[in-house]
Amino acid sequence: MRGLWLTILFLQVAVFSLAQETAEDYMLYKFESEPYAEFSITTDTLLFYRALHHADDMYDELAAFRFSMVDYARRGLHYTERRASIAGLDLRRANISILRRLAVSERGYAGLAHAVGAIGGEAGMDYFSLNDGVPMSGGNVALFLSGKGYLGGVRSTVHSLLKRGVSMSAYASAKGGNDLYVQGVNNNALDVGLRLTKEFQQGATLSFLALSTVGEKGLRSGTTQEAFTLTGDNLYNPSWGRQSGEVRNSRTRRDAVPFVALALDAPLWGETRMSLAVGGDYGHRRYSALGWYDAMTPRPDNYRYMPSYYADEQIASEVAYEWRAGNEAYTQINWADMYAQNRRSADGAIYALESRVERIARAQLALQFASPIGRDVVLNYGVRADFNGSRRYKQMEDLLGATHLRDVDYYLIDDDTYSNNLRNNILSVDDVVGEGDRFGYDYELRRRSVALNAGVEYSTSRWQILAALEMGREQVVREGYFEKELYAGERSLGRSRGKSFDPYTLKLSAGYAFSPRHHIGLAAMVARRAPEADDMFLNPQYNNRMVDDLTLSRHAAVDVNYKFHSSALDLTISAFVSRSSDERMVLRGYDDLSATYCDIDISGIGSLRYGVEGAARIYLSRSWQAEVTASLGRYEYADNPLVSHYADVDNSEVCISSPSYMSGCRVGGAPQITVSASVDYFARRGWIFSGGVNYAGGRYIEPSIVRRTERVARQSSASAELYERFLHQQRLGDAVTVDCSVAKWFSVGASRMSLSLMVRNLLGTDNIVYGGYEQTRIRHYRSGAQTIYAPQDDIITYSYPRTYYAVVSWKF
């Protein structure tokens, strides 16, 4: 009995170990938990361990947070493509850590695997259920210290079994402070969560869930290698400057998006069960940034301010000297100068701090049924409905000493043709903008969808065969609340024409268990998907015009999986291949060749991803355990998309259907090779030690589709060397880090106290490039009578050096 309770205690803490403290920081795993001096690994323990740690996706469990030193897209797919769902409702990934603290049941799915009624894509899924039991009474209070992203904070979780089958879990966390490594970076946040569950005697379960994250982050910006070299600081951040002696960041993100859900799971007729969930998000997300209006950019690392821009060697040398000397008038944002220029301006602000606001309003419904047909077959069927309204506008945050701003299109002031159509909103009484006012644009993108799903599952002691199909109807429409003078009437104001799509996803899988130890599986998927709403309009900020020839993108994928389980080893190996085509993207930016601000429509994007990955957990003895992961793949763009430029002032054609030489370029942020290995030692007297090494290789900068067009790369190149520069994709250096952790548990009466310390990048390597991207804009300069074009330098960000994370925790 004592061993059972010790096992349950360890596993409950291990579940919490899956929580990630922040999206880009640390995974809180077993080194923050409460090991017991006499704990030993047994076969029975493994069965519980696998069940609670979601071994369906053991690779993600072991590797997901080991590669925080690099931009890491597993299988070449960004983490946002991995669906998160609770009771069939889509979930923002920012809420996952709160759910884990509330001990909500979770299961991870790898690749093409999916949960019933929540069919995802090829990136896997995290599925949470509100109806799979409740935690025992108890709680935890912890103080944590970091220094990366924030300084520290405190959190508390309480679980309580109340009367009449009601249980409650509540969680609260507060953190804050300045980053100790990167100037200008900070994070002040409050996370709260509440879960109430009522279990009825008839077998039904009713659950209520409320989550909220409210926070403000000072952000870090990437820059060019030239800026890092001149400052001698790989953690240089160009987004801040000093105002009255205090550090002020120009780029902040503020979030306040609560999520609420109500779920009912109940038996119906016969053995049929019903699951009904309703919920959604409602709140705001704000990004602040500097705005400049008919003025020079205040960004200190703009290419025009760097030494490499100047043809005069003496001027270049003088500018380089100021950068190397750390003169903040050159290297950082000059707040005082912007205030001074605003005071001298006779026509309102020429610099201001503006917020790009997104108001999120999403409501969802998921209704699912499960009906056994005979002894081995279950029929699953249901419906999902989703209304997603995203209203976006600019709001004046700080006029930087000015009294007002004129709400006009400053790109048109010197335009001989359109300078009489400057007003951003002719519905307003005047064009005067004060602090707190909306200006520039105000519109909403609405996506409505309904989808039917049906699946059949055949299961025996050895076979498991599944087929699942989801078919839906989606409609997207834009609603404009400003009437832009340049696009007067229904071209900017009111509803656009709607666009409807009929997406679908079909998945088939079969698995066979040769024995209790060996299992092999095969899965396949075909799908058609609608483009994102932002990629359907030439410029949704103030234009109702949709792009031409909107189509569904095509996706196909195959996975082959092998699993081995014994008392000494858990092993998974997967081979995968996926192909996508006809994907779409719309960008807005300045076209240097035509000297025109353009809306850029990119169609026919395709990619090919294939490889193999494996994960193993090795139980060496009662006290020793090893974990290993490895992946080898090739993730590349497979098609040459077509790029069309439209003048932003009148949608006239600047260049139509110029092919972009993307085929063969690697997907950025997706290491082609990864390896991680760690060893854990569970010592007596409550000690745990761990050490591990992580390697990521075959990494590339994210390529620019626009830069590789025939129009830019071929027609603008004055030589074969310049042509190669336009097409060259920078490969980043291999990244190797060593991590270690130590934890100690103490018994304090009936409760336990734990101390833990984690050290990332133990060797302090400070030259690892985290990731980066190619700039769309190109440079041009005169050489005699000829104009020479060349690509802009890549934007990169370096990883952190040695970092620490410490926790003092009391469990009661």
Side-chain angles (χ1 to χ4, degrees), residues 405-424:
L405 171 74
R406 289 183 61 214
D407 188 14
V408 297
D409 193 332
Y410 287 88
Y411 290 104
L412 303 178
I413 288 178
D414 298 323
D415 193 299
D416 294 335
T417 303
Y418 299 100
S419 58
N420 60 341
N421 293 315
L422 295 177
R423 300 185 66 190
N424 285 324

Side-chain angles (χ1 to χ4, degrees), residues 346-419:
D347 194 21
I350 61 173
Y351 293 103
L353 191 66
E354 55 190 41
S355 288
R356 293 168 172 84
V357 184
E358 179 184 8
R359 189 211 65 190
I360 299 170
R362 186 176 189 184
Q364 302 179 74
L365 177 145
L367 177 61
Q368 198 70 27
F369 299 92
S371 300
I373 303 175
R375 191 177 70 175
D376 301 325
V377 180
V378 176
L379 179 63
N380 300 293
Y381 49 98
V383 61
R384 295 181 64 251
D386 189 349
F387 171 84
N388 194 347
S390 176
R391 185 163 180 174
R392 304 172 186 183
Y393 52 88
K394 280 203 298 186
Q395 190 170 29
M396 181 54 64
E397 185 172 326
D398 190 342
L399 285 166
L400 304 183
T403 58
H404 68 281
L405 171 74
R406 289 183 61 214
D407 188 14
V408 297
D409 193 332
Y410 287 88
Y411 290 104
L412 303 178
I413 288 178
D414 298 323
D415 193 299
D416 294 335
T417 303
Y418 299 100
S419 58

